[in-house]
């Protein structure tokens, strides 16, 4: 299996982007910045560049308002597109005695906004709020009602499965753990719950449609532009995509250094509501690259997802998995 050819080049361009990020985002008409493949005459090239997203391309800008043609020897690429991220959290199916990546979860206090179990991690006890143990990992916005700091919280209990009509209490055996700690800001959307209720776990993820069994999650790595990836979300299940941009910042949103993923097929969806918390996995070696937390509302497709007839979205956002895990310890690993 060959390494991604962009890996070394991306490191150089990311450093340049970080150097000029504030300058670029302060320009009028600019909506975001990232690192991605340069486009020429509507065709995507094999050349990486600093990509600057604008509401529309304008010709009458003053020199100090225009995007530079290059930065430290690296060409820029101006793309007329304004993404509209939408947080997603909702749905799944049956109760699993042995939990794994891709199945649904929710706080007991609010079983309507379901999300997805990303994976199971083991912490090292270096963060006081998170003692050494094994934990469910998902998005903080999925488990928000279990956070005792929330005005809506009455219990730290979280459940699996995550779908239950709130007319009567969910069965007691739906409990799968207790919320411990989480964080949601410009570069993070992650939370952990200590496993309970007698549940077991395994760090596997359902295989692609037509393939038998599961795929083992082999570790963590860093996303590189062009990586072929997949995810298994509670609502849309298995979907394929490609890392299109890394280090994406949005001027209108509280979002920095996000990974942008496009669906693999034209018109196909990548994710939708309920897929938040699912992990972004590199196809060639099953390494976890990130955690999916939002979709781009502007990318809604005409195809519907298989559960509840939700419309899917062809573009999604993920945060780097290493960045998320460092919130819970110095040396956090897959359990």
């Amino acid at each position: 299996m060959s390494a991604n050819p962009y890996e070394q080049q991306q490191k150089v361009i990311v450093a340049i982007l970080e150097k000029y990020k504030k300058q670029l985002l302060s320009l009028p008409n600019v909506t975001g910045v990232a690192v991605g493949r340069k486009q020429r005459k509507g065709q995507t090239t094999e050349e990486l560049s600093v990509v600057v997203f604008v509401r529309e391309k304008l010709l009458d800008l003053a020199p100090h308002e225009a995007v530079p043609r290059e930065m430290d020897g690296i060409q820029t690429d101006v793309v007329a597109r304004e993404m509209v991220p939408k947080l997603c959290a909702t749905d799944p199916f049956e109760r699993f005695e042995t939990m794994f990546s891709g199945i649904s979860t929710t706080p007991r206090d609010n079983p309507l906004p379901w999300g997805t179990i990303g994976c199971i991690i083991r912490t090292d006890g270096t963060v006081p709020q998170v003692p050494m143990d094994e934990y469910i990992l998902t998005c903080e916005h999925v488990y928000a009602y279990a956070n005792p700091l929330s005005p809506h919280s009455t219990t730290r209990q979280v459940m699996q499965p995550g779908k239950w009509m709130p007319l009567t209490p969910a069965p007691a055996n739906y409990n799968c753990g207790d919320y411990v700690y989480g964080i949601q800001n410009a570069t993070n959307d992650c939370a952990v719950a200590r496993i309970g209720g007698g549940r077991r776990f395994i760090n596997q993820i359902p295989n692609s449609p037509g393939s038998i069994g599961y795929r083992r999650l082999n570790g963590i790595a860093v996303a590189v532009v062009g990586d072929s990836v997949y995810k298994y979300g509670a609502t849309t299940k298995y979907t394929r995509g490609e890392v299109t941009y890394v280090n994406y910042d949005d001027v209108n949103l509280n979002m920095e250094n996000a990974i942008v993923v496009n669906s693999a097929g034209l018109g196909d969806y990548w994710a939708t509501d309920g897929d938040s918390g699912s992990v972004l996995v590199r196809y060639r070696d099953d390494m976890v690259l990130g955690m999916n937390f939002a979709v781009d509302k502007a990318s809604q497709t005409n195809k519907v997802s298989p559960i509840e007839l939700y419309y899917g979205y062809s573009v999604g956002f993920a945060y780097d998995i290493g960045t998320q895990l460092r919130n819970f310890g110095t040396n956090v690993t897959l359990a």
Side-chain angles (χ1 to χ4, degrees), residues 9 12-13 16 19-20 38 40 47-50 68-76:
Q9 186 183 5
V12 174
I13 302 178
I16 294 172
K19 179 179 177 181
Y20 293 104
K38 185 174 178 62
R40 284 193 174 90
E47 176 186 357
L48 287 189
S49 65
V50 172
R69 290 184 177 275
E70 65 174 45
M71 307 182 112
D72 291 356
I74 298 297
Q75 290 195 332
T76 59

Side-chain angles (χ1 to χ4, degrees), residues 1 101 119 203-205 214-221 230 279-289 333-335:
M1 298 180 186
S101 296
C119 56
N203 264 318
Q204 292 184 166
I205 191 166
Y214 298 81
R215 299 173 72 131
R216 178 181 175 180
L217 299 177
N218 289 325
I220 67 172
Y230 69 94
V279 285
L280 179 68
V281 188
R282 192 162 58 197
Y283 184 77
R284 63 182 169 87
D285 56 8
D286 298 311
M287 297 293 281
V288 179
L289 306 180
T333 61
L334 299 185

Side-chain angles (χ1 to χ4, degrees), residues 169-236:
N173 71 352
Y174 273 34
N175 291 348
C176 66
D178 294 287
Y179 177 95
V180 172
Y181 180 62
I183 183 169
Q184 185 177 5
N185 56 28
T187 54
N188 300 278
D189 190 349
C190 54
V192 291
R194 182 183 275 112
I195 299 170
R199 300 291 187 100
R200 299 183 296 273
F201 70 87
I202 189 166
N203 264 318
Q204 292 184 166
I205 191 166
N207 214 332
S208 57
S211 300
I212 298 173
Y214 298 81
R215 299 173 72 131
R216 178 181 175 180
L217 299 177
N218 289 325
I220 67 172
V222 176
V224 177
V225 172
D227 275 341
S228 176
V229 293
Y230 69 94
K231 70 107 186 72
Y232 195 99
T235 306
T236 56

Side-chain angles (χ1 to χ4, degrees), residues 95-106:
R95 180 186 181 277
F96 294 91
E97 190 66 33
T98 299
M99 299 182 295
F100 50 89
S101 296
I103 58 177
S104 64
T105 187
T106 189

Side-chain angles (χ1 to χ4, degrees), residues 300-320:
Q300 180 175 311
T301 70
N302 291 325
K303 293 185 177 181
V304 295
S305 61
I307 304 297
E308 304 281 345
L309 299 182
Y310 288 121
Y311 279 95
Y313 300 85
S314 64
V315 178
F317 302 93
Y319 282 134
D320 170 67

Side-chain angles (χ1 to χ4, degrees), residues 265-280:
L266 183 65
D268 286 344
Y269 53 76
W270 163 252
T272 193
D273 298 323
D275 292 337
S276 284
S278 62
V279 285
L280 179 68

Side-chain angles (χ1 to χ4, degrees), residues 132-182:
M132 181 185 295
D133 210 338
E134 289 153 347
Y135 296 89
I136 297 165
L137 176 70
T138 189
C139 287
E140 169 66 14
H141 80 260
V142 171
Y143 276 170
Y145 273 67
N147 186 334
L149 298 178
S150 166
H152 308 289
S153 177
T154 66
T155 176
R156 290 175 177 261
Q157 291 177 348
V158 299
M159 305 191 308
Q160 191 290 311
K163 184 176 181 180
W164 184 261
M165 297 308 294
L167 300 178
T168 58
N173 71 352
Y174 273 34
N175 291 348
C176 66
D178 294 287
Y179 177 95
V180 172
Y181 180 62

